[in-house]
Each structure stands twice: as C-alpha cells, then as structure tokens.
Amino acid sequence: MFSLTRHSKSKISNWWWTVDKVNFSITVFLIFIGVMLVLSASPSAAHRDRLVDDFAFVKKQAVFICAGVLLMLGTSMQSMRTIRRLAVFGFLCAFIGVIMTYFVGDSAKGAQRWIKFAGFSLQPSEFIKPVFIVVTAWLLDANKRIEDFPGMAISLVLFVFTAVSVFGQPDLGMTVLITGVWALQMIWAGISGWIISVLFFLGIFLVIGSYFFLAHVRDRIDRFLATENEIGSQIQKSMDAFANGNLLGTGPGEGMVKMSLPDVHTDFIFALAGEECGVWLTSIIVICFGVIVIRAMMLSMKDNNLFQMYAASGLAASLGGQAIVNMFSALKLMPAKGMTLPFISYGGSSMLASCLAMGMLLALTRKNASAEDKDN
C-alpha cells in the first residue's frame, strides 16, 4: 500500500520527507500566478496574432505547465550522480540544438533562436543554461578533488563554445546571464582575480561591439537611453501599465494597456501584473524569487559539498538573474532583453527550462542528497 510515512522506503516517500517544501511551494505558487496572468493576456495576444480562439495561449500554457511540473518532480527525485549525468547529456543535446538554429532556425525580431516542429517552437538556448551550470559545477568540483585534473580549463573551453554559439544567434541577454553565473561559479572556485578582470573588460567590449554591429541591440539601447518624449512605444506602454495599476491595481482582467502592449504575455507580463494587481502582487513576485535564491544558496552550503554548492547556487542565481532582467526591462531600469519571467511568462521552452532548473535545484538541496552522493 502506498504510504508517505517517514519509515516508508518508497522513492516518493523519501522525496516528500527530504525535498525543500518551501521552494517547491513557492514555485507552484509562481506557476499559478503565471496561469492567471496568461489567462488575462490571452485574448489581447490572440487578437494581435489574428487567432480565432481567444484563449489559445492559455490552453497551450496549460500543456506546457503539465509537462513542466512532471519534469520538475521527476528531476527533483534523482540523486546527485543522476543529475550530473543528466546535465552532461542535456548539455550535448542543447548545444547541438543551438548549432541547428543557424541552419534550420526560425527567425523573429532580428534573432534566429527557435526550431519549429509539430506546431511548437523550441528555444535550445533556454535549456543550455541550467545544464551548463551543473556541468561547470562538476568540473570545478573535480578540479578540487582530483590532482592535476584541468577542471577550470575545460570549464573555460565549454564556456567559450557556449557563449559564442548563443551570442551568434544573436542572444545578448542570454549570453550575459550565462557569463555572469559562470563567473560567479569561477570566483567561488578560487579563480585568479586578474582573469576575472580580463573577462569583465572583454564583456564590456562585447556589449559595445554589439551596439555598433547588431541592429536590434542598438535599437533597444537607444530606446532605453531615449528621453521621455522619444521613448519607444513598447517601453512607454509598459510604464503606463504600472502607472495605471498604482498600489492596488485595476483588478484581474480589467487592464487596458495589455490591449496595445506587444509581448504582454511573454516579455512584459510583469507589466500586466503591475497594472491589474498593483504593487502588492509585483512585490510578492519579487519576494518569491528572492526567497528561492537566498534559501537555495543557504541550503547548498550546509553539507560542505563543493559540487552541491557550485551547482545549486549557480542554478538559483540563474533563475534570480533572469527574473531581475525581465522585471528591470519592464520597469525601464535596463534595456529590453527579450527574456521571459521564469514560471510566469507564456512559452514552452521557458516553462520547461525553468522547471528543469528548479527540479535539479530541488534534487541538489534535498536533506540527504549529499549523503547519498557519498554512498555512491
């Protein structure tokens, strides 16, 4: 008979009593918020895309959520050894997928990041981020444990290949996020300060070069630097949404700016939350991501397992960093990056990749994860 008692030896029972229920519950809560916001945005988004079904987007999102939650649950039950193997396999698949976008990728908004099949679009760069973080953590851990193992050097090579392939799509936002998390992991692993300095200035040079050679990057930066009278319509409408929402919001489904705000169900869903629910909901979203990041980093350090620390803190930083980029873009605190809000924005690739990252994070921060890893 199925049982969730502490003495049960079933895999599900072991998961239930060892998983971090706080971060798991917060993730489910964020997914619920996302469903409500996508439901509200679906009719206006469907109208702009000339779809017959006003609720086509929320119906698709329901499918993505079911698949994502199953992926998160299944991944969170795995051991550290399985997570490492999954990350290596996932990295190879995602890297091949990114390369394929150069040949069979679907172009949109000046970027070639998607592969279309069976009526769905897949963005491989979304998946390469979490698996690259775990692979890097494994290499850095091995660098400490195994004498003469060039873990840092291999990590550097993988980073260069990953960053160049993602940047070439072009996807500057994802490249910057991957670079930031990788640099954080390398700092924790004890990389020399001068190497980080060199990489930092190379990053600055890359951003400056992108402004002059990539038209869509230049357009977004120009819009960000524009005066209030010259500001781009998309950013202006996002700011109007927050202004309309004020403290308490206009009410669920009552937002008006969403009717004319492009990407309101994806890149600018935070603006929709601000308009319809006001400061209280946007504050809750910020707090939720903050709790996920801080709690995951604290749990990752409790067992003095370097792989656990590098991987879990890196995954947490990537989820928090992506959330910051999305929210700051909507608030005109940084140029728009075309980056989704994890667990909340519409999109199959975003939902599945976010759930994969959280599943690995929950697996790595389970109470007995480090002990099981030593037994293996």
Side-chain angles (χ1 to χ4, degrees):
M1 182 177 178
F2 177 74
S3 174
L4 286 178
T5 62
R6 287 184 179 272
H7 302 292
S8 174
K9 295 182 179 180
S10 70
K11 195 175 187 68
I12 295 178
S13 178
N14 178 60
W15 172 85
W16 176 253
W17 291 107
T18 58
V19 74
D20 178 18
K21 296 181 182 64
V22 174
N23 272 355
F24 176 72
S25 300
I26 291 175
T27 301
V28 173
F29 176 66
L30 289 174
I31 291 174
F32 173 76
I33 291 176
V35 172
M36 296 298 101
L37 292 175
V38 173
L39 175 63
S40 177
S42 188
S44 59
H47 178 72
R48 280 193 298 275
D49 286 359
R50 299 180 180 179
L51 300 180
V52 176
D53 187 356
D54 284 350
F55 299 100
F57 287 106
V58 73
K59 289 177 181 178
K60 283 187 177 181
Q61 187 72 348
V63 175
F64 301 149
I65 288 173
C66 290
V69 170
L70 288 175
L71 177 63
M72 178 175 63
L73 290 173
T75 306
S76 67
M77 295 180 184
Q78 306 308 311
S79 65
M80 283 193 187
R81 181 168 65 174
T82 303
I83 293 298
R84 287 192 287 261
R85 293 174 176 176
L86 174 64
V88 172
F89 177 74
F91 177 79
L92 292 174
C93 292
F95 185 77
I96 291 172
V98 171
I99 299 302
M100 286 178 62
T101 60
Y102 287 91
F103 304 99
V104 296
D106 186 58
S107 298
K109 301 178 182 178
Q112 194 166 327
R113 308 172 189 167
W114 298 268
I115 298 175
K116 281 192 172 182
F117 66 97
F120 292 92
S121 294
L122 181 71
Q123 186 178 347
S125 60
E126 284 278 5
F127 296 92
I128 204 170
K129 172 168 50 69
V131 291
F132 169 75
I133 290 169
V134 176
V135 171
T136 295
W138 191 5
L139 291 170
L140 296 179
D141 175 51
N143 187 81
K144 297 285 188 179
R145 290 186 298 101
I146 304 174
E147 187 176 357
D148 297 327
F149 180 77
M152 282 193 174
I154 297 174
S155 174
L156 175 60
V157 172
L158 285 182
F159 164 71
V160 171
F161 277 104
T162 302
V164 170
S165 62
V166 172
F167 177 74
Q169 292 184 323
D171 192 345
L172 180 60
M174 187 65 71
T175 305
V176 171
L177 183 59
I178 290 174
T179 301
V181 177
W182 176 80
L184 186 63
Q185 290 178 298
M186 296 295 280
I187 291 173
W188 284 331
I191 193 173
S192 300
W194 70 269
I195 297 179
I196 291 296
S197 299
V198 170
L199 293 174
F200 175 78
F201 286 109
L202 284 176
I204 297 295
F205 177 77
L206 182 65
V207 172
I208 294 174
S210 300
Y211 177 83
F212 290 102
F213 294 104
L214 296 177
H216 79 286
V217 173
R218 180 167 59 253
D219 179 63
R220 287 176 176 177
I221 293 177
D222 286 344
R223 288 174 183 269
F224 174 72
L225 297 175
T227 63
E228 186 173 350
N229 293 330
E230 299 172 336
I231 190 173
S233 59
Q234 193 175 32
I235 297 295
Q236 183 59 63
K237 290 182 184 299
S238 177
M239 299 304 294
D240 290 343
F242 287 110
N244 288 349
N246 210 325
L247 185 63
L248 300 177
T250 59
E254 299 298 323
M256 296 303 296
V257 177
K258 67 184 179 184
M259 301 304 297
S260 57
L261 176 59
D263 300 323
V264 67
H265 58 313
T266 54
D267 302 349
F268 287 91
I269 200 164
F270 192 62
L272 176 63
E275 181 181 23
E276 296 194 347
C277 298
V279 173
W280 68 270
L281 181 60
T282 55
S283 298
I284 288 175
I285 292 173
V286 171
I287 292 171
C288 284
F289 280 108
V291 171
I292 288 175
V293 173
I294 295 172
R295 184 172 177 82
M297 289 190 173
M298 291 176 63
L299 290 175
S300 71
M301 298 177 185
K302 62 183 176 62
D303 291 329
N304 295 320
N305 184 308
L306 290 179
F307 168 71
Q308 185 182 35
M309 184 183 74
Y310 296 149
S313 56
L315 289 168
S318 72
L319 288 170
Q322 183 167 337
I324 288 173
V325 170
N326 178 277
M327 293 185 286
F328 276 28
S329 298
L331 289 165
K332 200 182 179 292
L333 295 176
M334 66 185 302
K337 291 290 187 296
M339 196 170 286
T340 56
L341 187 57
F343 309 115
I344 296 178
S345 291
Y346 167 83
S349 295
S350 174
M351 181 59 67
L352 291 174
S354 297
C355 286
L356 174 62
M358 179 52 69
M360 292 192 292
L361 182 58
L362 290 172
L364 293 166
T365 55
R366 282 182 20 235
K367 290 179 182 178
N368 60 350
S370 184
E372 289 179 356
D373 192 47
K374 292 177 181 178
D375 293 338
N376 291 327

